[in-house]
Amino acid sequence: MDLTVYGGPDGILTGAEELIRSLEAEFSVTDPESGVSRLNAAGYGPVSPETAEVLETALALSARTDGAFDCTVYPVLRAWGFTTGEYRVPSQAELDSLLPLTDWRKITVSGGSVTFGEGQKIDFGGIAKGYAGDRLIALFREAGVTSALVNLGGNVQTLGTKPDGSLWRVAVKDPGGEGYAGIVETADRAVVTSGGYERYFEENGRTYVHILDPKTGFPASAGLLSVTVVGERGILCDGLSTALYVMGEERAAELYRGSGDFDMVLLTEDGRILLTEGLADCFTPAGDWADAEITVIRHDEN
Ligand code: ADP
Ligand code: MG
C-alpha cells in the first residue's frame, strides 16, 4: 500500500496506518478473531458499524448487479482455495452442494444486527479495499489535506488534484504484460481495476481466475481482461469492478446506461477498449493498447 499526502498535520500517516490495521482486524477472513470471522462462525450477531455499512453496501450492489456481486460466494471461493492459495478445482458435486449458500437475499442487516441463512459465510474481498480507500480519503480531508493519493494494490483513490493543480495520472495495468494499457487523468475520484490476471492458477492447461460467477460457482469468463471503474465512491467502484468483470461488456454497458455514478474502461480478450463517455477525453491508451480499437459507450444509446 502506498499513501501520499501533501501537507496535513504531523502524524497523519500514522493515523492512516492505524485505520488500515483496524479495518484489517475487522474484515480479514484469514484471521479467526476478526469481526467477520466471528460472524461467519456464528451465522448471526451484533456487528460493528463498519461491518454493517459494508454489508449493506454489498447487498445493495448485489441487487443492482443482479447478483453478479455477491459476498456470500465465500464458501465456493474457499473450495477453489482462493482464500488460502492452496488452489484446486472442486468437483461438480462439491460445487452443487455449496452453491445454494451463495444467495445475498438470505442475509438480513438491521439495527447493527446481522442474520445469515443456514451455513452462509461472507467475504468482503471484492469491496473492502474500496471502503478502506474511502475512509482514508475522509481521514485526510477532515485533517485539512487538499491533495493526496492512496494506492491499495489495484485501487487508486485521489483527493483533490496534484499540489500544482494538475490532474492525477493513474495508470491502468496491461493485463497481458508488464507495462500499462492506458492512463486515466482525474481528480477527486477512485480508479479501481479488477482482472483475472492478478490472482489465478493453472491446471491441465486451463486458467482459473479469483473472481467467481456466483450463478455457476466457476471463475468468471465473460470475455474481459480487466474492468476499471472510476467514480467518487471507492467502495462502489471496487464492488462494481468485480461485478462488471463477471457481467461482460453487454451487461456492463446496460448497467452503465441506467446509472449516473461511475465511468469505466473495459479491456476485452479480443484486444478492444470500451470507454464510457465521461472518460472519452481523459483516457489515453498506451503500450500494446496504443492502437487498439476504442468504442465509446454513451448514456443515451440503446
Ligand atoms: P482484487 O482484490 O484483486 O483487487 P477484486 O476487487 O475484483 O480484486 O476482488 C476479488 C475478490 O473478491 C476475490 O478474491 C474474492 O475475495 C471476492 N470475490 C470473487 N468473486 C466475487 C463475486 N462474484 N462477488 C463478490 N466478491 C467476489
Ligand atoms: Mg472489487
Side-chain angles (χ1 to χ4, degrees):
M1 298 184 186
D2 289 313
L3 311 179
T4 310
V5 176
Y6 295 91
D10 284 350
I12 181 99
L13 285 173
T14 310
E17 187 178 340
E18 280 165 11
L19 173 61
I20 293 171
R21 288 193 195 285
S22 75
L23 294 175
E24 168 82 11
E26 176 63 16
F27 298 148
S28 169
V29 285
T30 47
D31 170 3
E33 297 303 317
S34 78
V36 167
S37 291
R38 280 184 278 118
L39 177 64
N40 279 342
Y44 64 91
V47 295
S48 68
E50 280 87 2
T51 289
E53 185 186 348
V54 175
L55 187 52
E56 278 167 352
T57 307
L59 297 177
L61 266 165
S62 299
R64 201 173 156 183
T65 61
D66 191 25
F69 186 90
D70 193 335
C71 65
T72 65
V73 80
Y74 181 54
V76 182
L77 196 79
R78 229 171 28 168
W80 286 91
F82 281 116
T83 50
T84 57
E86 287 161 33
Y87 302 130
R88 55 190 277 274
V89 179
S91 69
Q92 190 60 50
E94 188 178 357
L95 288 178
D96 288 344
S97 73
L98 293 172
L99 267 174
L101 302 176
T102 303
D103 186 356
W104 60 277
R105 288 184 170 82
K106 292 183 185 156
I107 292 194
T108 58
V109 195
S110 86
S113 207
V114 172
T115 313
F116 290 168
E118 177 81 41
Q120 285 192 301
K121 296 185 194 306
I122 60 165
D123 151 50
F124 291 152
I127 199 173
K129 276 194 275 183
Y131 176 74
D134 287 342
R135 290 286 302 271
L136 289 167
I137 295 289
L139 180 83
F140 297 155
R141 184 177 277 131
E142 280 155 23
V145 172
T146 54
S147 178
L149 182 132
V150 169
N151 184 349
L152 308 178
N155 289 40
V156 174
Q157 295 192 222
T158 61
L159 171 60
T161 60
K162 288 201 239 174
D164 67 5
S166 62
L167 296 173
W168 299 102
R169 293 164 53 80
V170 181
V172 174
K173 272 194 198 163
D174 183 345
E178 288 293 294
Y180 44 93
I183 300 282
V184 176
E185 288 187 277
T186 192
D188 274 317
R189 291 285 183 279
V191 182
V192 178
T193 300
S194 284
Y197 61 94
E198 290 284 354
R199 214 175 329 145
Y200 62 90
F201 71 98
E202 286 169 41
E203 196 174 294
N204 299 328
R206 284 202 54 181
T207 301
Y208 299 95
V209 304
H210 73 129
I211 299 174
L212 300 182
D213 182 340
K215 299 243 157 40
T216 63
F218 261 80
S221 59
L224 299 177
L225 291 176
S226 76
V227 176
T228 300
V229 177
V230 181
E232 277 178 38
R233 292 185 65 204
I235 190 168
L236 183 91
C237 295
D238 195 356
L240 278 176
S241 69
T242 306
L244 298 174
Y245 182 83
V246 173
M247 294 164 78
E249 69 178 83
E250 274 154 36
R251 287 178 66 203
E254 193 183 325
L255 182 72
Y256 169 77
R257 290 195 188 102
S259 307
D261 51 2
F262 72 95
D263 275 285
M264 63 186 180
V265 183
L266 310 180
L267 303 181
T268 70
E269 282 173 359
D270 57 7
R272 290 170 298 122
I273 300 174
L274 291 107
L275 277 184
T276 55
E277 58 184 320
L279 290 175
D281 298 325
C282 30
F283 176 81
T284 312
D288 290 347
W289 293 81
D291 298 320
E293 175 193 321
I294 298 182
T295 307
V296 178
I297 302 169
R298 298 184 188 282
H299 271 123
D300 55 11
E301 288 166 293
N302 44 34

